[in-house]
């Protein structure tokens, strides 16, 4: 649009005292790139001049008028974000769609500091609709790193294959942080920004509905570029225009209340383009800043900051839990290290996490200090402390070896593999470390593995999985590149060498061991294994009632077995053959096929 066209219209860079319907009518059609509207919700809220308790029909009629106004002024590739409460979310969404908008996202904004309700659940969310005019042409800055959030791969798994730019935030449900105090991270599905409470430095102080700058920042960054035109029909405390100005966008807003306009204009005047947004970008990791006193001593400052931290944390978990704050907190790293020192008995972190007896001891030692931090969070922190060298730095020695005989490992590793494969299918983002740090996942792992190896103990099965992981790591590191000559492979890797037999106890070839496949009724391969002794393996693998039931279920009837003998092959050669077969036949079986490619996270630690 020719910028001169705008000269005769309400000026950009200002908040206008005007009814937004009249104000928008003065703007040329299609001149706005992004509109953000946080209208009154019609819930009887007390504003300066606006009456927030219209009859329902009247409110909907009025909403239709202003949404039509937004639609007219919005560019064809523009975006319209609507913030709205439960009362009229459904009605206004339908209305906006009837007017011609397409809904791209229905984001739930989760907040704390909701108005406490005695006889219903305290409201802690609002709806944010992202509408566009044209489903195919709209601006969405998916690659802007400041819109993205760290991925679980980056934050939790420390996975070097993670996209360094992070990931787009999701839009899903989380209950309340107090239900999930340590699991509510910035990359979860609900955007979590605390409401701008009275004590926050960010609080402009004159408007009860002030939105957090970080929330507007995400919307403005995602749906507009510097220089684009941003409109807010309901300016209130001027958050939208304040953020638009900081981010170098052109802006215009309307507000009925002269007082709000004058105070909002003062707020705007104090802002320079490029100023940082107020409020924590990641509110879970940092408490919002409040004003300190002048001339306070270092000790006073520390005491104030601690008090603020506690008050803030208490507010996050809800006043009703205030008295529990002390035990709600996570253990400090020092306390966790001491608990580990007390129980580890010379064993490694892996051993403590995988050994049910040592794990129980760790739990008891930790619970004496912090009742509420979930075990998974503590166990994860322990792995991080080990990786950072903090345990060694504290003089903790963990050289006591964990020895499981090779024969035992060979006997049970297929059961660990099946259990791991099933968990990977259920939770594709989780690495083995995640499974082993979360007691619930660990329990699932044990249950699945014991279907196939009822006489193995949990520590053995878990240790087998860590062994598999180190094979997988080695295999990944030694994968031949496309232009490298193929490594010498054992001759039996070709399918023609397979011998099909009818029963689980059969064996073939002159060698005792080699590769074997479990086949479904339709001939598809369910599992590929390697063993030094077919007879022993089939006895273990398929003979127990629970394993037989599992395979019958998978196979759609009695499974068939094919074997390929490997004369004189050692364990590593058999494994290499199996890996090669799995690479050549991806997705053919319940094996951890992708372990040997690069699809699933393995986890950072190796057993020590
Ligand atoms: C929910 S508040 C907006 C809060 C704002 N998002 C913020 O961060 O401060 C709604 C505002 O719209 C104003 N308002 C209500 N009806 C209006 C209208 N027809 N035109 C312009 N402003 C209006 C109210 O005075 C109120 O300040």
């Amino acid at each position: 649009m020719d910028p001169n066209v705008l000269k005769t219209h309400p000026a950009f860079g200002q908040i206008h005292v005007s009814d937004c319907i009249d104000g928008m009518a003065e703007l040329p059609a299609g001149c706005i790139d992004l509109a953000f509207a946080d209208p009154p919700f019609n819930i009887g809220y007390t504003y300066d001049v606006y009456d927030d308790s219209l009859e329902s029909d009247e409110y909907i009629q009025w909403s239709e008028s202003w949404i039509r106004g937004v639609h007219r002024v919005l560019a064809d590739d523009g975006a319209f974000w609507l913030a709205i409460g439960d009362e009229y979310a459904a009605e206004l969404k339908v209305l906006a769609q009837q007017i011609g908008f397409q809904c791209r996202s229905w984001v739930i904004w989760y907040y704390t500091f909701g108005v406490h309700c005695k006889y219903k659940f305290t409201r802690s969310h609002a709806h944010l609709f992202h509408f566009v005019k044209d489903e195919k042409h709209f601006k969405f800055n998916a690659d802007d790193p400041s819109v993205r959030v760290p991925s679980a791969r980056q934050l939790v798994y420390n996975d070097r294959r993670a996209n360094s730019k992070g990931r787009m935030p999701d839009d899903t449900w989380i209950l309340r942080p107090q239900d999930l105090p340590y699991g509510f991270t910035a990359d979860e599905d609900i955007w979590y920004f605390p409401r701008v409470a009275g004590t926050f430095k960010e609080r402009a102080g004159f408007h009860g509905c002030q939105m957090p700058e970080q929330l507007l920042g995400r919307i403005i960054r995602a749906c507009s570029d510097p220089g684009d035109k941003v409109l807010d029909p309901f300016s209130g405390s001027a958050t939208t225009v304040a953020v638009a100005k900081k981010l170098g966008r052109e802006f215009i807003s309307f507000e009925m209340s002269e007082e709000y306009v004058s105070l909002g204009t003062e707020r705007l005047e104090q802002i320079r383009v490029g100023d940082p947004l107020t409020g924590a970008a990641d509110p879970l990791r940092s408490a919002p800043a409040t004003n300190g006193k002048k001339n306070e001593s270092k000790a006073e400052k520390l005491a104030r900051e601690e008090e603020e931290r506690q008050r803030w944390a208490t507010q996050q978990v809800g006043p009703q839990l205030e008295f529990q704050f002390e035990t709600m907190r996570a253990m400090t790293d020092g306390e966790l290290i001491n608990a580990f020192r007390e129980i580890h008995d010379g064993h490694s972190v892996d051993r403590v996490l995988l050994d049910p007896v040592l794990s129980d001891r760790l739990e008891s030692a930790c619970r004496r200090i912090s009742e509420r931090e979930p075990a998974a969070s503590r166990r994860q922190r322990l792995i991080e402390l080990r990786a950072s060298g903090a345990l060694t730095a504290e003089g903790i020695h963990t050289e006591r070896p964990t020895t499981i005989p090779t024969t035992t490992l060979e006997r049970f590793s297929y059961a660990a593999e099946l259990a791991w494969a099933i968990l990977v299918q259920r939770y594709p983002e989780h690495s083995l470390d995640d499974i082993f740090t979360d007691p619930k996942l660990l329990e699932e792992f044990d249950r699945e593995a014991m279907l196939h190896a009822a006489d193995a103990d949990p520590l053995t099965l878990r240790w087998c999985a860590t062994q598999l992981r180190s094979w997988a790591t080695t295999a990944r590191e030694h994968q031949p590149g496309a232009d490298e000559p193929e490594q010498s492979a054992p001759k039996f890797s070709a399918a023609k060498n397979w011998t099909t037999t009818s029963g689980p106890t059969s064996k073939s070839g002159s060698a005792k061991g080699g590769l074997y496949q479990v086949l479904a009724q339709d001939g598809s391969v369910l599992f590929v294994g390697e063993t030094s002794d077919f007879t022993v393996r089939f006895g273990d693998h398929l003979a127990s009632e629970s394993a037989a039931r599992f395979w019958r279920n998978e196979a759609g009837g009695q499974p068939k077995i094919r074997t390929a003998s490997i004369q004189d092959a050692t364990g590593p050669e058999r494994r290499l053959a199996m890996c090669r077969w799995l690479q050549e036949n991806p997705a053919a079986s319940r094996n951890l096929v992708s372990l040997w490619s690069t699809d699933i996270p393995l986890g950072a630690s190796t057993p020590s």
Side-chain angles (χ1 to χ4, degrees):
M1 167 165 302
D2 176 358
N4 291 322
V5 173
L6 293 169
K7 286 194 176 145
T8 54
H9 297 277
F12 276 74
Q14 284 181 25
I15 310 168
H16 297 268
V17 184
S18 166
D19 181 302
C20 65
I21 299 175
D22 301 337
M24 287 189 286
E26 304 263 308
L27 289 172
C31 69
I32 298 294
D33 299 294
L34 165 64
F36 174 84
D38 174 21
F41 290 1
N42 208 31
I43 49 173
Y45 191 85
T46 311
Y47 291 107
D48 184 12
V49 288
Y50 176 80
D51 172 12
D52 191 33
S53 41
L54 302 181
E55 288 300 320
S56 189
D57 287 354
E58 202 187 339
Y59 178 74
I60 289 173
Q61 256 178 26
W62 171 75
S63 299
E64 179 172 352
S65 305
W66 73 257
I67 295 174
R68 280 196 190 285
V70 171
H71 192 266
R72 191 186 68 80
V73 297
L74 203 63
D76 286 344
D77 62 352
F80 165 39
W81 281 80
L82 168 64
I84 190 71
D86 287 3
E87 293 75 9
Y88 288 94
E91 286 84 348
L92 265 53
K93 178 173 183 282
V94 172
L95 199 57
Q97 287 167 176
Q98 282 165 353
I99 289 170
F101 284 113
Q102 314 278 336
C103 184
R104 301 272 330 149
S105 290
W106 181 335
V107 171
I108 301 294
W109 169 32
Y110 174 96
Y111 54 75
T112 44
F113 307 104
V115 179
H116 181 68
C117 300
K118 203 166 172 192
Y119 296 112
K120 66 172 189 156
F121 299 110
T122 296
R123 176 83 56 89
S124 64
H125 66 275
H127 306 266
L128 297 168
F129 292 112
H130 172 203
F131 295 112
V132 293
K133 266 185 161 176
D134 182 333
E135 235 178 344
K136 298 218 166 67
H137 300 104
F138 55 87
K139 192 169 286 177
F140 198 71
N141 296 323
D143 285 332
D144 182 336
S146 54
V147 174
R148 298 170 76 89
V149 292
S151 65
R153 276 195 166 175
Q154 289 172 304
L155 280 180
V156 184
Y157 311 129
N158 195 18
D159 188 330
R160 60 194 145 82
R161 292 165 299 142
N163 183 340
S164 57
K165 289 186 190 153
R167 60 185 282 265
M168 287 302 294
D170 301 334
D171 64 353
T172 329
W173 294 64
I174 291 282
L175 294 176
R176 310 169 305 163
Q178 52 265 51
D179 290 335
L180 203 61
Y182 299 93
F184 198 84
T185 58
D187 63 340
E188 294 286 8
D189 300 353
I190 291 197
W191 300 1
Y192 173 56
F193 298 91
R195 276 170 79 88
V196 181
T199 50
F200 291 9
K201 195 177 172 188
E202 177 177 354
R203 175 76 169 231
F206 64 88
H207 202 292
C209 304
Q210 183 179 339
M211 286 241 165
E213 291 198 2
Q214 293 290 348
L215 185 142
L216 263 306
R218 182 179 283 172
I219 290 173
I220 293 175
R221 285 173 175 133
C223 295
S224 69
D225 291 321
D228 279 356
K229 295 190 168 52
V230 175
L231 159 74
D232 185 345
F234 304 97
S235 187
S237 69
T239 312
T240 309
V241 285
V243 176
K245 183 173 179 184
K246 288 182 175 184
L247 297 177
R249 273 64 168 174
E250 301 267 306
F251 55 85
I252 185 166
S253 67
F254 301 104
E255 170 57 59
M256 280 169 81
S257 156
E258 279 185 38
E259 190 184 340
Y260 294 163
V261 172
S262 124
L263 293 164
T265 305
E266 266 176 41
R267 180 179 177 188
L268 258 187
E269 280 167 359
Q270 287 163 17
I271 287 171
R272 298 284 159 267
V273 177
D275 279 355
L277 305 194
T278 334
D282 179 352
L284 282 177
R285 273 149 224 273
S286 46
T290 57
N291 289 311
K293 288 190 218 114
K294 275 186 192 152
N295 306 327
E296 71 187 341
S297 69
K298 200 172 167 194
E300 280 171 339
K301 181 167 178 281
L302 282 176
R304 176 179 57 76
E305 282 173 355
E306 176 57 17
E307 194 204 303
E308 281 168 2
R309 191 184 69 76
Q310 293 210 8
R311 192 178 57 230
W312 177 79
T314 305
Q315 284 162 338
Q316 305 310 298
V317 299
Q320 69 278 27
L321 294 174
E322 196 164 346
F323 68 97
Q324 287 184 352
F325 178 71
E326 256 311 296
T327 48
M328 286 285 300
R329 74 190 173 85
M331 297 169 80
T332 63
D333 285 349
E335 287 166 338
L336 186 53
I337 291 170
N338 280 340
F340 179 79
R341 190 198 307 276
E342 185 186 319
I343 61 93
H344 78 110
D345 204 12
H347 286 298
S348 66
V349 169
D350 285 315
R351 170 68 189 265
V352 168
L353 296 183
L354 300 186
D355 186 324
V357 176
L358 290 172
S359 282
D360 269 3
R361 281 190 204 147
L362 178 69
E363 256 316 275
S364 313
C366 291
R367 276 172 179 278
R368 287 202 299 273
I369 300 163
S370 166
E371 285 274 347
R372 301 286 295 230
E373 183 180 3
S377 153
R378 272 197 296 263
R379 292 162 67 91
Q380 180 64 42
R381 285 205 290 138
L382 203 50
I383 288 190
E384 284 160 14
L385 287 170
R386 191 260 316 270
S388 70
L391 297 181
T392 322
E394 287 294 321
I396 295 183
H397 300 290
T398 57
E399 283 91 21
R400 190 162 165 187
T402 294
T403 323
I404 296 188
T406 320
T407 46
T408 311
L409 287 173
E410 187 180 299
R411 236 192 104 194
F412 296 124
S413 60
Y414 70 92
E417 181 177 5
L418 276 166
W420 188 6
I422 286 162
L423 263 72
V424 165
Q425 266 177 13
R426 271 181 214 154
Y427 314 104
E429 290 243 311
H430 285 337
S431 69
L432 198 61
D433 279 340
D434 302 322
I435 295 169
F436 287 164
T437 46
D438 184 333
K440 283 205 182 99
L441 293 180
L442 198 51
E443 217 175 273
E444 268 184 74
F445 173 90
D446 291 347
R447 216 175 22 246
E448 297 296 345
M450 284 186 160
L451 277 183
H452 305 276
D455 57 334
D457 63 274
L459 175 59
T460 303
L461 290 165
R462 298 166 185 181
W463 209 261
C464 284
T466 63
Q467 195 61 58
L468 277 173
R469 175 173 55 192
S470 64
W471 294 341
T473 310
T474 317
R476 280 184 186 181
E477 283 164 7
H478 292 94
Q479 268 190 40
D483 46 359
E484 286 171 41
E486 221 192 78
Q487 288 174 4
S488 63
K491 291 192 238 45
F492 44 77
S493 74
K496 62 179 186 295
N497 291 327
W498 293 99
T499 307
T500 307
T501 62
S502 55
T505 53
S506 310
K507 62 173 182 148
S508 76
S510 51
K512 265 174 76 186
L515 300 195
Y516 66 99
Q517 297 173 334
V518 185
L519 304 169
Q521 289 279 304
D522 64 4
S524 57
V525 181
L526 299 172
F527 185 82
V528 186
E530 47 96 20
T531 177
S532 57
D533 192 322
F534 290 126
T535 315
V536 172
R537 171 56 60 87
F538 295 148
D540 277 338
H541 194 150
L542 299 159
S544 80
E545 186 39 44
S546 56
R549 207 174 320 119
F550 174 90
W551 286 118
R552 274 201 303 275
N553 208 17
E554 294 285 304
Q558 186 63 21
K560 286 196 176 3
I561 301 296
R562 283 202 298 186
T563 55
S565 304
I566 303 175
Q567 202 80 43
D568 301 329
T570 62
E573 281 171 317
R574 290 197 314 264
R575 209 156 295 134
L576 178 66
M578 181 173 84
C579 294
R580 179 142 307 147
W581 188 90
L582 291 168
Q583 278 168 1
E584 285 164 9
N585 300 274
S589 67
R590 291 301 289 264
N591 287 80
L592 287 165
V593 179
S594 37
L595 268 186
W596 280 274
S597 62
T598 53
D599 285 331
I600 62 166
L602 292 175
S605 69
T606 44
S608 53

